PDB file of all heavy atoms in Angstrom:
ATOM      1  N   TRP A 407     -15.209  21.902  21.180  1.00 94.00           N
ATOM      2  CA  TRP A 407     -15.056  21.230  19.946  1.00 94.00           C
ATOM      3  C   TRP A 407     -16.162  21.494  18.960  1.00 94.00           C
ATOM      4  O   TRP A 407     -17.285  21.435  19.281  1.00 94.00           O
ATOM      5  CB  TRP A 407     -14.989  19.736  20.293  1.00 94.00           C
ATOM      6  CG  TRP A 407     -14.623  18.907  19.054  1.00 94.00           C
ATOM      7  CD1 TRP A 407     -15.445  18.234  18.171  1.00 94.00           C
ATOM      8  CD2 TRP A 407     -13.296  18.783  18.450  1.00 94.00           C
ATOM      9  NE1 TRP A 407     -14.777  17.718  17.129  1.00 94.00           N
ATOM     10  CE2 TRP A 407     -13.437  18.031  17.300  1.00 94.00           C
ATOM     11  CE3 TRP A 407     -12.063  19.283  18.837  1.00 94.00           C
ATOM     12  CZ2 TRP A 407     -12.348  17.654  16.475  1.00 94.00           C
ATOM     13  CZ3 TRP A 407     -10.988  18.954  18.045  1.00 94.00           C
ATOM     14  CH2 TRP A 407     -11.148  18.153  16.873  1.00 94.00           C
ATOM     15  N   ASP A 408     -15.710  21.765  17.720  1.00 92.00           N
ATOM     16  CA  ASP A 408     -16.708  22.002  16.649  1.00 92.00           C
ATOM     17  C   ASP A 408     -16.689  20.858  15.725  1.00 92.00           C
ATOM     18  O   ASP A 408     -15.698  20.711  14.949  1.00 92.00           O
ATOM     19  CB  ASP A 408     -16.331  23.309  15.959  1.00 92.00           C
ATOM     20  CG  ASP A 408     -17.365  23.721  14.849  1.00 92.00           C
ATOM     21  OD1 ASP A 408     -18.150  22.832  14.434  1.00 92.00           O
ATOM     22  OD2 ASP A 408     -17.385  24.897  14.484  1.00 92.00           O
ATOM     23  N   SER A 409     -17.658  19.983  15.729  1.00 89.00           N
ATOM     24  CA  SER A 409     -17.661  18.766  14.850  1.00 89.00           C
ATOM     25  C   SER A 409     -17.763  19.037  13.373  1.00 89.00           C
ATOM     26  O   SER A 409     -17.233  18.315  12.581  1.00 89.00           O
ATOM     27  CB  SER A 409     -18.776  17.820  15.317  1.00 89.00           C
ATOM     28  OG  SER A 409     -18.567  17.278  16.652  1.00 89.00           O
ATOM     29  N   GLU A 410     -18.431  20.151  13.106  1.00 85.00           N
ATOM     30  CA  GLU A 410     -18.635  20.544  11.685  1.00 85.00           C
ATOM     31  C   GLU A 410     -17.278  21.080  11.108  1.00 85.00           C
ATOM     32  O   GLU A 410     -16.933  20.708   9.992  1.00 85.00           O
ATOM     33  CB  GLU A 410     -19.715  21.561  11.519  1.00 85.00           C
ATOM     34  CG  GLU A 410     -21.066  21.063  11.934  1.00 85.00           C
ATOM     35  CD  GLU A 410     -21.627  19.965  11.048  1.00 85.00           C
ATOM     36  OE1 GLU A 410     -21.186  19.917   9.910  1.00 85.00           O
ATOM     37  OE2 GLU A 410     -22.421  19.194  11.525  1.00 85.00           O
ATOM     38  N   ARG A 411     -16.660  21.791  11.898  1.00 86.00           N
ATOM     39  CA  ARG A 411     -15.372  22.342  11.443  1.00 86.00           C
ATOM     40  C   ARG A 411     -14.174  21.417  11.619  1.00 86.00           C
ATOM     41  O   ARG A 411     -13.197  21.399  10.890  1.00 86.00           O
ATOM     42  CB  ARG A 411     -15.048  23.667  12.250  1.00 86.00           C
ATOM     43  CG  ARG A 411     -13.711  24.336  11.816  1.00 86.00           C
ATOM     44  CD  ARG A 411     -13.476  25.503  12.710  1.00 86.00           C
ATOM     45  NE  ARG A 411     -12.163  26.159  12.353  1.00 86.00           N
ATOM     46  CZ  ARG A 411     -10.998  25.651  12.733  1.00 86.00           C
ATOM     47  NH1 ARG A 411     -10.944  24.534  13.469  1.00 86.00           N
ATOM     48  NH2 ARG A 411      -9.928  26.262  12.362  1.00 86.00           N
ATOM     49  N   GLY A 412     -14.330  20.533  12.578  1.00 87.00           N
ATOM     50  CA  GLY A 412     -13.316  19.556  12.761  1.00 87.00           C
ATOM     51  C   GLY A 412     -12.124  20.065  13.589  1.00 87.00           C
ATOM     52  O   GLY A 412     -11.003  19.763  13.322  1.00 87.00           O
ATOM     53  N   GLY A 413     -12.446  20.862  14.636  1.00 90.00           N
ATOM     54  CA  GLY A 413     -11.283  21.327  15.453  1.00 90.00           C
ATOM     55  C   GLY A 413     -11.781  22.115  16.686  1.00 90.00           C
ATOM     56  O   GLY A 413     -13.034  22.400  16.781  1.00 90.00           O
ATOM     57  N   LEU A 414     -10.889  22.511  17.507  1.00 91.00           N
ATOM     58  CA  LEU A 414     -11.203  23.385  18.596  1.00 91.00           C
ATOM     59  C   LEU A 414     -11.659  24.704  18.113  1.00 91.00           C
ATOM     60  O   LEU A 414     -11.100  25.162  17.073  1.00 91.00           O
ATOM     61  CB  LEU A 414     -10.016  23.480  19.588  1.00 91.00           C
ATOM     62  CG  LEU A 414      -9.627  22.220  20.393  1.00 91.00           C
ATOM     63  CD1 LEU A 414      -8.323  22.388  21.039  1.00 91.00           C
ATOM     64  CD2 LEU A 414     -10.729  21.922  21.447  1.00 91.00           C
ATOM     65  N   THR A 415     -12.463  25.398  18.786  1.00 86.00           N
ATOM     66  CA  THR A 415     -12.999  26.703  18.348  1.00 86.00           C
ATOM     67  C   THR A 415     -11.886  27.729  18.118  1.00 86.00           C
ATOM     68  O   THR A 415     -12.008  28.527  17.311  1.00 86.00           O
ATOM     69  CB  THR A 415     -14.031  27.204  19.361  1.00 86.00           C
ATOM     70  OG1 THR A 415     -13.495  27.207  20.648  1.00 86.00           O
ATOM     71  CG2 THR A 415     -15.317  26.370  19.357  1.00 86.00           C
ATOM     72  N   ALA A 416     -10.842  27.628  18.929  1.00 63.00           N
ATOM     73  CA  ALA A 416      -9.707  28.566  18.858  1.00 63.00           C
ATOM     74  C   ALA A 416      -8.614  28.023  18.035  1.00 63.00           C
ATOM     75  O   ALA A 416      -7.706  28.746  17.795  1.00 63.00           O
ATOM     76  CB  ALA A 416      -9.293  28.926  20.220  1.00 63.00           C
ATOM     77  N   ALA A 417      -8.739  26.821  17.406  1.00 44.00           N
ATOM     78  CA  ALA A 417      -7.615  26.211  16.676  1.00 44.00           C
ATOM     79  C   ALA A 417      -7.560  26.980  15.281  1.00 44.00           C
ATOM     80  O   ALA A 417      -8.527  27.439  14.797  1.00 44.00           O
ATOM     81  CB  ALA A 417      -7.803  24.761  16.483  1.00 44.00           C
ATOM     82  N   THR A 418      -6.370  26.881  14.699  1.00 42.00           N
ATOM     83  CA  THR A 418      -6.177  27.532  13.371  1.00 42.00           C
ATOM     84  C   THR A 418      -6.014  26.538  12.203  1.00 42.00           C
ATOM     85  O   THR A 418      -5.904  26.992  11.094  1.00 42.00           O
ATOM     86  CB  THR A 418      -4.932  28.539  13.436  1.00 42.00           C
ATOM     87  OG1 THR A 418      -3.779  27.759  13.781  1.00 42.00           O
ATOM     88  CG2 THR A 418      -5.170  29.563  14.450  1.00 42.00           C
ATOM     89  N   THR A 419      -5.855  25.252  12.528  1.00 44.00           N
ATOM     90  CA  THR A 419      -5.601  24.263  11.522  1.00 44.00           C
ATOM     91  C   THR A 419      -6.624  23.210  11.579  1.00 44.00           C
ATOM     92  O   THR A 419      -6.812  22.606  12.582  1.00 44.00           O
ATOM     93  CB  THR A 419      -4.238  23.624  11.763  1.00 44.00           C
ATOM     94  OG1 THR A 419      -3.225  24.633  11.789  1.00 44.00           O
ATOM     95  CG2 THR A 419      -3.920  22.690  10.544  1.00 44.00           C
ATOM     96  N   PRO A 420      -7.440  22.979  10.523  1.00 49.00           N
ATOM     97  CA  PRO A 420      -8.397  21.873  10.524  1.00 49.00           C
ATOM     98  C   PRO A 420      -7.808  20.540  10.621  1.00 49.00           C
ATOM     99  O   PRO A 420      -6.721  20.309  10.229  1.00 49.00           O
ATOM    100  CB  PRO A 420      -9.089  22.146   9.098  1.00 49.00           C
ATOM    101  CG  PRO A 420      -8.113  22.775   8.304  1.00 49.00           C
ATOM    102  CD  PRO A 420      -7.293  23.653   9.157  1.00 49.00           C
ATOM    103  N   TRP A 421      -8.607  19.649  11.156  1.00 45.00           N
ATOM    104  CA  TRP A 421      -8.037  18.281  11.345  1.00 45.00           C
ATOM    105  C   TRP A 421      -8.241  17.445  10.169  1.00 45.00           C
ATOM    106  O   TRP A 421      -7.582  16.352  10.076  1.00 45.00           O
ATOM    107  CB  TRP A 421      -8.642  17.576  12.620  1.00 45.00           C
ATOM    108  CG  TRP A 421     -10.025  17.595  12.741  1.00 45.00           C
ATOM    109  CD1 TRP A 421     -10.850  18.410  13.452  1.00 45.00           C
ATOM    110  CD2 TRP A 421     -10.979  16.656  12.173  1.00 45.00           C
ATOM    111  NE1 TRP A 421     -12.155  18.067  13.365  1.00 45.00           N
ATOM    112  CE2 TRP A 421     -12.291  16.963  12.592  1.00 45.00           C
ATOM    113  CE3 TRP A 421     -10.900  15.506  11.372  1.00 45.00           C
ATOM    114  CZ2 TRP A 421     -13.431  16.284  12.259  1.00 45.00           C
ATOM    115  CZ3 TRP A 421     -12.025  14.826  11.035  1.00 45.00           C
ATOM    116  CH2 TRP A 421     -13.227  15.178  11.486  1.00 45.00           C
ATOM    117  N   LEU A 422      -9.044  17.784   9.252  1.00 49.00           N
ATOM    118  CA  LEU A 422      -9.231  16.912   8.136  1.00 49.00           C
ATOM    119  C   LEU A 422      -8.163  17.182   7.028  1.00 49.00           C
ATOM    120  O   LEU A 422      -8.290  17.818   6.065  1.00 49.00           O
ATOM    121  CB  LEU A 422     -10.648  17.149   7.442  1.00 49.00           C
ATOM    122  CG  LEU A 422     -11.808  16.636   8.235  1.00 49.00           C
ATOM    123  CD1 LEU A 422     -13.125  16.970   7.608  1.00 49.00           C
ATOM    124  CD2 LEU A 422     -11.673  15.134   8.430  1.00 49.00           C
ATOM    125  N   ARG A 423      -6.989  16.677   7.297  1.00 50.00           N
ATOM    126  CA  ARG A 423      -5.894  16.722   6.367  1.00 50.00           C
ATOM    127  C   ARG A 423      -6.185  16.047   5.098  1.00 50.00           C
ATOM    128  O   ARG A 423      -6.826  15.024   5.119  1.00 50.00           O
ATOM    129  CB  ARG A 423      -4.579  16.180   6.996  1.00 50.00           C
ATOM    130  CG  ARG A 423      -4.168  16.859   8.253  1.00 50.00           C
ATOM    131  CD  ARG A 423      -2.812  16.322   8.704  1.00 50.00           C
ATOM    132  NE  ARG A 423      -2.899  14.969   9.231  1.00 50.00           N
ATOM    133  CZ  ARG A 423      -3.030  14.579  10.419  1.00 50.00           C
ATOM    134  NH1 ARG A 423      -3.077  15.496  11.340  1.00 50.00           N
ATOM    135  NH2 ARG A 423      -3.081  13.365  10.830  1.00 50.00           N
ATOM    136  N   LYS A 424      -5.806  16.560   3.971  1.00 45.00           N
ATOM    137  CA  LYS A 424      -6.153  15.951   2.684  1.00 45.00           C
ATOM    138  C   LYS A 424      -5.340  14.684   2.539  1.00 45.00           C
ATOM    139  O   LYS A 424      -4.106  14.729   2.409  1.00 45.00           O
ATOM    140  CB  LYS A 424      -5.826  16.980   1.519  1.00 45.00           C
ATOM    141  CG  LYS A 424      -6.855  18.137   1.463  1.00 45.00           C
ATOM    142  CD  LYS A 424      -6.704  18.882   0.207  1.00 45.00           C
ATOM    143  CE  LYS A 424      -7.611  20.004   0.077  1.00 45.00           C
ATOM    144  NZ  LYS A 424      -7.430  20.838  -1.167  1.00 45.00           N
ATOM    145  N   THR A 425      -6.075  13.560   2.393  1.00 43.00           N
ATOM    146  CA  THR A 425      -5.362  12.285   2.339  1.00 43.00           C
ATOM    147  C   THR A 425      -5.041  11.864   0.886  1.00 43.00           C
ATOM    148  O   THR A 425      -4.378  10.871   0.686  1.00 43.00           O
ATOM    149  CB  THR A 425      -6.320  11.213   3.014  1.00 43.00           C
ATOM    150  OG1 THR A 425      -7.545  11.276   2.413  1.00 43.00           O
ATOM    151  CG2 THR A 425      -6.446  11.440   4.459  1.00 43.00           C
ATOM    152  N   ASN A 426      -5.443  12.641  -0.042  1.00 41.00           N
ATOM    153  CA  ASN A 426      -5.081  12.313  -1.424  1.00 41.00           C
ATOM    154  C   ASN A 426      -3.846  13.036  -1.903  1.00 41.00           C
ATOM    155  O   ASN A 426      -3.420  12.878  -2.986  1.00 41.00           O
ATOM    156  CB  ASN A 426      -6.254  12.760  -2.376  1.00 41.00           C
ATOM    157  CG  ASN A 426      -6.550  14.259  -2.305  1.00 41.00           C
ATOM    158  OD1 ASN A 426      -6.874  14.692  -1.229  1.00 41.00           O
ATOM    159  ND2 ASN A 426      -6.554  14.846  -3.476  1.00 41.00           N
ATOM    160  N   GLN A 427      -3.280  13.811  -0.956  1.00 42.00           N
ATOM    161  CA  GLN A 427      -2.014  14.512  -1.216  1.00 42.00           C
ATOM    162  C   GLN A 427      -0.893  13.708  -0.599  1.00 42.00           C
ATOM    163  O   GLN A 427      -1.066  12.774   0.096  1.00 42.00           O
ATOM    164  CB  GLN A 427      -2.128  15.883  -0.787  1.00 42.00           C
ATOM    165  CG  GLN A 427      -2.998  16.728  -1.585  1.00 42.00           C
ATOM    166  CD  GLN A 427      -3.075  18.201  -1.044  1.00 42.00           C
ATOM    167  OE1 GLN A 427      -2.624  18.553   0.021  1.00 42.00           O
ATOM    168  NE2 GLN A 427      -3.404  19.122  -1.882  1.00 42.00           N
ATOM    169  N   ASP A 428       0.328  14.231  -0.811  1.00 42.00           N
ATOM    170  CA  ASP A 428       1.474  13.538  -0.278  1.00 42.00           C
ATOM    171  C   ASP A 428       1.819  13.861   1.142  1.00 42.00           C
ATOM    172  O   ASP A 428       2.089  14.967   1.491  1.00 42.00           O
ATOM    173  CB  ASP A 428       2.660  13.919  -1.186  1.00 42.00           C
ATOM    174  CG  ASP A 428       3.862  13.090  -0.856  1.00 42.00           C
ATOM    175  OD1 ASP A 428       3.827  12.321   0.101  1.00 42.00           O
ATOM    176  OD2 ASP A 428       4.832  13.261  -1.645  1.00 42.00           O
ATOM    177  N   PRO A 429       1.624  12.879   2.166  1.00 39.00           N
ATOM    178  CA  PRO A 429       1.886  13.250   3.512  1.00 39.00           C
ATOM    179  C   PRO A 429       3.294  13.516   3.809  1.00 39.00           C
ATOM    180  O   PRO A 429       3.660  13.839   4.946  1.00 39.00           O
ATOM    181  CB  PRO A 429       1.357  12.058   4.251  1.00 39.00           C
ATOM    182  CG  PRO A 429       1.062  11.033   3.415  1.00 39.00           C
ATOM    183  CD  PRO A 429       1.175  11.603   1.961  1.00 39.00           C
ATOM    184  N   ALA A 430       4.214  13.279   2.878  1.00 40.00           N
ATOM    185  CA  ALA A 430       5.619  13.564   3.102  1.00 40.00           C
ATOM    186  C   ALA A 430       5.767  15.133   3.058  1.00 40.00           C
ATOM    187  O   ALA A 430       5.322  15.710   2.114  1.00 40.00           O
ATOM    188  CB  ALA A 430       6.472  12.951   1.996  1.00 40.00           C
ATOM    189  N   VAL A 431       6.380  15.631   4.030  1.00 42.00           N
ATOM    190  CA  VAL A 431       6.533  17.128   4.003  1.00 42.00           C
ATOM    191  C   VAL A 431       7.424  17.568   2.888  1.00 42.00           C
ATOM    192  O   VAL A 431       8.512  17.051   2.723  1.00 42.00           O
ATOM    193  CB  VAL A 431       7.137  17.605   5.338  1.00 42.00           C
ATOM    194  CG1 VAL A 431       7.231  19.064   5.395  1.00 42.00           C
ATOM    195  CG2 VAL A 431       6.362  17.039   6.533  1.00 42.00           C
ATOM    196  N   GLN A 432       6.960  18.522   2.116  1.00 39.00           N
ATOM    197  CA  GLN A 432       7.702  18.996   0.980  1.00 39.00           C
ATOM    198  C   GLN A 432       8.783  19.974   1.467  1.00 39.00           C
ATOM    199  O   GLN A 432       8.443  21.061   1.746  1.00 39.00           O
ATOM    200  CB  GLN A 432       6.768  19.553  -0.076  1.00 39.00           C
ATOM    201  CG  GLN A 432       5.768  18.624  -0.640  1.00 39.00           C
ATOM    202  CD  GLN A 432       4.814  19.252  -1.643  1.00 39.00           C
ATOM    203  OE1 GLN A 432       4.726  20.524  -1.600  1.00 39.00           O
ATOM    204  NE2 GLN A 432       4.114  18.453  -2.318  1.00 39.00           N
ATOM    205  N   ALA A 433       9.930  19.521   1.415  1.00 36.00           N
ATOM    206  CA  ALA A 433      11.076  20.356   1.931  1.00 36.00           C
ATOM    207  C   ALA A 433      11.172  21.700   1.048  1.00 36.00           C
ATOM    208  O   ALA A 433      11.097  21.603  -0.163  1.00 36.00           O
ATOM    209  CB  ALA A 433      12.416  19.637   1.876  1.00 36.00           C
TER     210      ALA A 433
END
Side-chain angles (χ1 to χ4, degrees):
W407 187 260
D408 185 339
S409 292
E410 295 297 332
R411 181 183 178 280
L414 290 170
T415 51
T418 59
T419 304
W421 52 263
L422 288 178
R423 297 186 291 262
K424 288 188 177 180
T425 54
N426 59 304
Q427 293 181 336
D428 190 352
V431 183
Q432 296 176 347

